[in-house]
Amino acid sequence: MLKITPYLGILVIVVAIAGLWYPILGYFMLVVFGTLLVISPLRGRWFCGNLCPRGSFSDFWIAKISQNNKIPPILRSLWIRVPIFLLMMGFMVYRLLQTHGLFNQIGMVFVIMCLATTIIATLLGFFISPRTWCTFCPMGTLQHILGKDRYQIQLKNDKCIACKKCDKVCPMQLEVRKALSEKDCIKCSRCIEICPKNALAFKN
């Protein structure tokens, strides 16, 4: 996790709320999309765990009020991910076509998308777990597809003492030692940082 990661969540509020009055803020979403598309082929879902404003919002804002329940396994399924990805992308394209290329209207489409997904993420984060949205986030799914097996966690079995501290800090509720190639790993490094035996490391 980067030093700036905890502070990026404010950007979600700025775009989702202030964007209703200043649609130009919606274009920030294009910066986000562009950045993750550049990073994901090299590091998979690294963006999710380090630079994603919504991820930061979930980890450091929603986490304070979350009921911290177990994330339902069905939400991790491609049967959920793919339809949601197609539905959201299709809706966004449809709305963009209706703008007829008008600058402010295009910006407002992105603002509404940000606001809607933030509301969903907040509700899921409160009633289930902070990162529930991230298990089926369309952008997270796309990053995994583009990154495949890049930048995976590597376990040094001879050093691991099975203390499970890594599992406890994983925001995606993964059993880290059993999920080294898990598509939901967001490369946040928390498991690496807390390991008392330095048994975990990223493999390029």
Side-chain angles (χ1 to χ4, degrees), residues 18-54:
L20 296 173
W21 287 272
Y22 304 99
I24 191 174
L25 292 173
Y27 285 91
F28 174 74
M29 299 295 290
L30 293 181
V31 176
V32 171
F33 295 154
T35 303
L36 67 84
L37 287 176
V38 170
I39 293 175
S40 55
L42 302 174
R43 293 199 169 189
R45 294 191 66 175
W46 183 89
F47 180 90
C48 294
N50 295 275
L51 291 177
C52 178
R54 177 164 292 114

Side-chain angles (χ1 to χ4, degrees), residues 1-193:
M1 182 171 62
L2 304 177
K3 291 183 178 180
I4 63 169
T5 303
Y7 308 104
L8 295 175
I10 189 64
L11 297 175
V12 173
I13 301 301
V14 171
V15 174
I17 304 301
L20 296 173
W21 287 272
Y22 304 99
I24 191 174
L25 292 173
Y27 285 91
F28 174 74
M29 299 295 290
L30 293 181
V31 176
V32 171
F33 295 154
T35 303
L36 67 84
L37 287 176
V38 170
I39 293 175
S40 55
L42 302 174
R43 293 199 169 189
R45 294 191 66 175
W46 183 89
F47 180 90
C48 294
N50 295 275
L51 291 177
C52 178
R54 177 164 292 114
S56 173
F57 181 71
S58 297
D59 285 342
F60 301 100
W61 295 44
I62 299 178
K64 297 181 185 300
I65 60 172
S66 178
Q67 297 186 23
N68 290 308
N69 294 313
K70 190 70 175 177
I71 298 174
I74 186 63
L75 295 181
R76 303 182 190 274
S77 168
L78 287 178
W79 293 103
I80 297 294
R81 294 173 188 260
V82 174
I84 289 178
F85 177 82
L86 295 176
L87 180 65
M88 291 190 64
M89 293 302 101
F91 178 75
M92 184 173 68
V93 170
Y94 171 72
R95 292 291 293 122
L96 288 173
L97 291 175
Q98 289 186 320
T99 65
H100 303 294
L102 296 177
F103 187 79
N104 275 353
Q105 289 191 24
I106 292 174
M108 184 58 73
V109 170
F110 293 126
V111 169
I112 295 301
M113 291 291 289
C114 180
L115 178 60
T117 53
T118 298
I119 290 173
I120 295 171
T122 300
L123 291 174
L124 291 173
F126 173 74
F127 288 108
I128 305 179
S129 179
R131 283 272 186 169
T132 304
W133 164 262
C134 302
T135 60
F136 59 89
C137 169
M139 293 299 100
T141 299
L142 179 61
Q143 287 177 77
H144 171 68
I145 293 173
L146 294 175
K148 297 183 180 178
D149 297 326
R150 295 293 182 89
Y151 208 59
Q152 296 288 5
I153 289 285
Q154 185 176 36
L155 173 67
K156 300 175 184 177
N157 288 297
D158 58 325
K159 291 187 175 183
C160 180
I161 58 174
C163 64
K164 296 186 178 181
K165 288 185 177 181
C166 53
D167 296 347
K168 294 177 182 178
V169 298
C170 178
M172 298 299 287
Q173 296 185 357
L174 302 177
E175 292 184 61
V176 177
R177 293 165 301 135
K178 298 179 181 179
L180 301 182
S181 61
E182 171 62 52
K183 59 182 174 294
D184 282 335
C185 175
I186 56 174
K187 329 293 185 186
C188 64
S189 302
R190 296 179 198 183
C191 56
I192 294 175
E193 293 167 0

